[in-house]
Amino acid sequence: MFQLIDGKSIAAQIKEEVKEEAERLKQAGIQVCLAVVQVGNDPASSVYVRNKKKACEYVGIRSASFELPEDTAEDELLELVRRLNEDDSVNGILVQLPLPEHISEDKVIQTISPDKDVDGFHPESVGRLCIGEKGFLSCTPAGIIELLRRSGVEIQGKECVVVGRSNIVGKPMALLLLKENGTVTIAHSRTADLKEITQRADILIVAIGRPRFITADYVKEGATVIDVGIHRNEDGHLCGDVDFDNVKEKTAFITPVPGGVGPMTIAMLMKNCIAAAK
Ligand code: L34
């Protein structure tokens, strides 16, 4: 028997906690505000951005929305970010990724003031995480740690395998698991014998971006499986990087898609906004 890790309900709990904090700040005269910037109208990004704005509204964080056309010049976006850096009424800045090809994501991320880096993507935030200093944590990996914690899955001493090495998920995920005293392996698309590595995992975090890639033969009996992937097929159905129905019976704990990691990313963003305001 496996246990479903209900990201939606754990995220709802966290949002209740954030709501109370936002209320307390309001009573102290502080209205928390998140600037949400989207360039173009990638349908998936639009869904995620809409969910973020809805969460803001629910917890009592003001969201200031900036929707720029796909052909926005890089300089124009950088100028907007600088303006938001200077704006004292804005506590956090979120520029939804991916950006159009002609804009350098690195440049944009590095232009965001580290004090308003609620995504935790700025090199200063990443550097802090790397050396164990306090700072903004990338929302998806921080949300995964919170999912494990609130589900009673111990990390200390466990074999943790992260599949994927992106700056947004894989790398910070590995660092956070390490901070929790996990024994961490990062595998990726060029890993020679992926199955052999993933079969060792007590905690398997999958962020490879391939629909239903992880099947039962990749999973150790009794493992905890966290699925970061999100794919939409022709008929609008969502699935993850893990073949859920094939894998679930082999696991002790598993996250679904949707309703797993996604809602947690948003809940942690709300938490980071409160921290930014403080
Ligand atoms: N700057 N860009 C920036 N920050 C981020 O933290 C993100 N990420 C990723 C993409 N780009 C980003 C997100 O917000 C992924 N991501 C994200 C956010 C929310 C959801 C999924 C990914 C989400 O709400 N998922 C729902 C289903 C939504 C649907 O219907 O498609 C879920 O239950 O998984």
Side-chain angles (χ1 to χ4, degrees):
M1 262 309 281
F2 67 96
Q3 192 178 319
L4 191 72
I5 299 182
D6 184 349
K8 206 169 166 185
S9 92
I10 296 176
Q13 267 174 35
I14 292 171
K15 282 190 280 184
E16 289 309 320
E17 295 161 18
V18 170
K19 193 175 179 184
E20 282 176 25
E21 295 228 36
E23 183 54 41
R24 234 173 284 141
L25 285 168
K26 219 171 275 177
Q27 268 153 23
I30 299 160
Q31 169 61 62
V32 184
C33 173
L34 172 67
V36 181
V37 182
Q38 185 182 356
V39 183
N41 37 29
D42 171 71
S45 292
S46 297
V47 173
Y48 307 155
V49 163
R50 195 180 331 123
N51 289 350
K52 288 175 186 187
K53 291 181 194 164
K54 273 205 301 218
C56 281
E57 190 176 353
Y58 181 77
V59 302
I61 292 175
R62 190 171 83 83
S63 63
S65 203
F66 298 86
E67 286 163 25
L68 308 181
E70 179 82 22
D71 62 358
T72 300
E74 183 181 85
D75 275 342
E76 214 175 312
L77 177 58
L78 295 176
E79 208 34 65
L80 170 63
V81 170
R82 289 193 197 100
R83 214 173 73 222
L84 295 169
N85 285 342
E86 297 297 316
D87 186 339
D88 290 334
S89 71
V90 170
N91 303 103
I93 301 171
L94 170 103
V95 180
Q96 187 70 19
L97 303 181
L99 289 168
E101 292 267 351
H102 66 277
I103 300 179
S104 156
E105 292 185 350
D106 285 344
K107 247 192 220 170
V108 173
I109 288 166
Q110 288 171 33
T111 302
I112 295 172
S113 162
D115 296 331
K116 299 189 179 185
D117 178 34
V118 287
D119 258 330
F121 293 166
H122 191 283
E124 180 171 323
S125 304
V126 179
R128 282 175 180 276
L129 168 60
C130 199
I131 62 174
E133 267 183 24
K134 234 177 122 52
F136 289 112
L137 297 177
S138 174
C139 301
T140 300
I144 290 169
I145 296 290
E146 204 60 35
L147 276 183
L148 294 171
R149 192 176 286 147
R150 294 188 191 222
S151 306
V153 177
E154 204 188 6
I155 301 169
Q156 174 152 294
K158 294 289 155 56
E159 286 280 351
C160 306
V161 175
V162 179
V163 189
R165 53 174 155 179
S166 71
N167 289 335
I168 294 181
V169 181
K171 287 183 211 169
M173 187 73 250
L175 289 166
L176 281 176
L177 290 163
L178 192 59
K179 190 169 147 211
E180 300 296 323
N181 301 315
T183 302
V184 183
T185 303
I186 305 178
H188 47 79
S189 54
R190 307 284 174 88
T191 294
D193 192 349
L194 183 59
K195 248 180 226 177
E196 193 242 332
I197 307 280
T198 58
Q199 279 168 355
R200 294 207 302 250
D202 299 310
I203 299 174
L204 178 61
I205 315 255
V206 189
I208 31 177
R210 294 195 211 158
R212 295 200 188 95
F213 180 82
I214 296 292
T215 45
D217 46 337
Y218 284 83
V219 176
K220 173 163 118 178
E221 190 78 43
T224 292
V225 177
I226 306 289
D227 190 352
V228 186
I230 181 160
H231 311 274
R232 201 173 298 263
N233 70 10
E234 315 77 50
D235 53 358
H237 275 281
L238 294 177
C239 77
D241 290 347
V242 175
D243 188 341
F244 183 89
D245 287 326
N246 186 262
V247 165
K248 63 184 182 191
E249 296 299 344
K250 219 170 168 184
T251 69
F253 294 89
I254 185 168
T255 61
V257 176
V261 171
M264 288 301 289
T265 297
I266 297 180
M268 299 314 281
L269 174 67
M270 299 298 106
K271 254 187 126 138
N272 280 349
C273 290
I274 298 289
K278 283 182 168 166

